[in-house]
């Protein structure tokens, strides 16, 4: 059975970057092991992503509150829906993400804000408690960082914590991270970090069988939160 992998590249240098080279090695190993792998790449720095503003914002809240929406607004909103459909069509997600200022690059945040929509990737129950709608998927994140955020700087790592939270929120429980660090301290440390992460990636591919953990991720926001409930 064909497995569809969506490679979401959030680095302006693509596979020429440190992060991209590690993802390239991961994809090479996956192709060697899985004949049924189908890869689609979404380069966020060259993609024409839909605006999460203007007409689309007005349409979103009109739909949420049951207000009428004209044809022009619906046509604009379809660009959001097509982006969501492309995301949901994949079985596996590979994120190639360098750390920028302790967090994710702006292009990835823009993309996440476009696809994480109520009624599509998550929903509220009658009490306003959210639950994810994206199940049975696998998320693999390859990141690179200038410093080492596994020790005293761990509290500044908003990249992994954010990605784990937002994708766990929409229901993706099976998450794997490969963090290459430190990459900007000395050439020797960079080479060591790069080689170590490549080895980890290859070991993971050799052992992994595409299984998805039967695990429930609790909503990462308090149950007592009461956001607006989507209208029928």
């Amino acid at each position: 059975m064909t497995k569809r992998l969506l490679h979401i590249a959030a680095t302006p240098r693509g596979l020429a970057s440190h992060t991209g080279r590690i993802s390239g090695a991961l994809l090479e190993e996956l192709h060697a092991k899985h004949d049924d792998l189908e890869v689609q790449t979404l380069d966020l720095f060259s993609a024409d992503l839909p605006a999460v503003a203007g007409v689309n914002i007005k349409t979103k809240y009109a739909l949420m509150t049951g207000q009428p929406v004209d044809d022009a607004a619906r046509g604009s909103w379809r660009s959001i829906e097509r982006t969501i459909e492309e995301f949901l069509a994949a079985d596996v997600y590979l994120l190639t993400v360098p750390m920028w200022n302790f967090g994710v690059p702006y292009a990835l945040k823009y993309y996440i804000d476009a696809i994480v929509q109520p009624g599509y990737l998550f929903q509220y129950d009658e009490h306003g408690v959210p639950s994810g709608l994206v199940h049975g998927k696998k998320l693999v994140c390859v990141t690179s960082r200038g410093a080492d955020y596994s020790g005293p700087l761990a509290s500044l790592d908003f990249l992994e914590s954010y990605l784990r939270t937002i994708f766990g929120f929409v229901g993706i429980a099976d998450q794997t991270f490969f963090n290459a660090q430190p990459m900007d301290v000395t050439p020797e440390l960079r080479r060591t970090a790069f080689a170590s992460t490549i080895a980890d990636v290859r070991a993971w591919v050799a052992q992994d069988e595409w299984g998805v953990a039967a695990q429930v991720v609790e909503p990462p926001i308090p149950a007592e939160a009461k956001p607006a409930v989507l209208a029928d």
Side-chain angles (χ1 to χ4, degrees), residues 146-148 182-190:
D148 187 340
M183 302 300 284
D184 294 339
V185 179
T186 67
E188 182 179 359
L189 287 174
R190 179 189 299 130

Side-chain angles (χ1 to χ4, degrees), residues 7-210:
H7 178 199
I8 302 168
T11 170
R13 296 196 298 147
L15 294 180
S17 67
H18 299 311
T19 330
R21 289 166 61 199
I22 295 168
S23 287
L26 188 151
L27 288 170
E28 183 179 343
E29 295 292 322
L30 286 175
H31 278 299
K33 184 175 180 181
H34 300 283
D35 295 333
D36 59 350
L37 183 65
E38 179 183 294
V39 176
Q40 176 184 353
T41 298
L42 175 60
D43 182 349
L44 295 181
F45 279 91
S46 63
D48 184 16
L49 297 174
V52 191
V55 172
N56 284 337
I57 281 291
K58 292 179 181 178
T59 304
K60 170 181 177 175
Y61 287 105
L63 292 171
M64 289 176 64
T65 55
Q67 301 300 309
V69 177
D70 62 28
D71 290 343
R74 286 190 181 276
S76 179
W77 184 252
R78 274 298 296 154
S79 63
I80 294 282
E81 291 183 321
R82 283 192 293 269
T83 305
I84 294 171
E85 289 164 359
E86 178 186 57
F87 178 80
L88 292 176
D91 304 299
V92 182
Y93 305 105
L94 169 61
L95 268 62
T96 299
V97 189
M99 177 184 280
W100 282 19
N101 295 323
F102 310 123
V104 301
Y106 66 86
L108 178 56
K109 182 60 168 61
Y110 191 108
Y111 175 71
I112 289 172
D113 287 343
I115 64 172
V116 178
Q117 300 291 344
Y120 295 86
L121 266 61
F122 71 97
Q123 64 184 2
Y124 299 118
D125 67 14
E126 65 274 16
H127 302 294
V129 178
S131 61
L133 298 174
V134 187
H135 303 294
K137 313 279 190 177
K138 180 188 290 290
L139 174 72
V140 183
C141 295
V142 173
T143 84
S144 62
R145 299 95 178 288
D148 187 340
Y149 290 84
S150 63
L153 297 179
S155 64
L156 300 179
D157 181 3
F158 300 108
L159 188 158
E160 181 172 343
S161 61
Y162 171 68
L163 292 177
R164 284 192 181 277
T165 298
I166 192 62
F167 287 105
F169 174 75
V170 301
I172 303 176
D174 189 333
Q175 302 183 8
T176 302
F177 279 75
F178 297 102
N179 300 323
Q181 56 187 2
M183 302 300 284
D184 294 339
V185 179
T186 67
E188 182 179 359
L189 287 174
R190 179 189 299 130
R191 286 191 293 269
T192 299
F194 184 81
S196 175
T197 309
I198 289 287
D200 290 343
V201 160
R202 288 174 173 161
W204 177 80
V205 173
Q207 296 174 7
D208 186 70
E209 295 299 333
W210 294 107

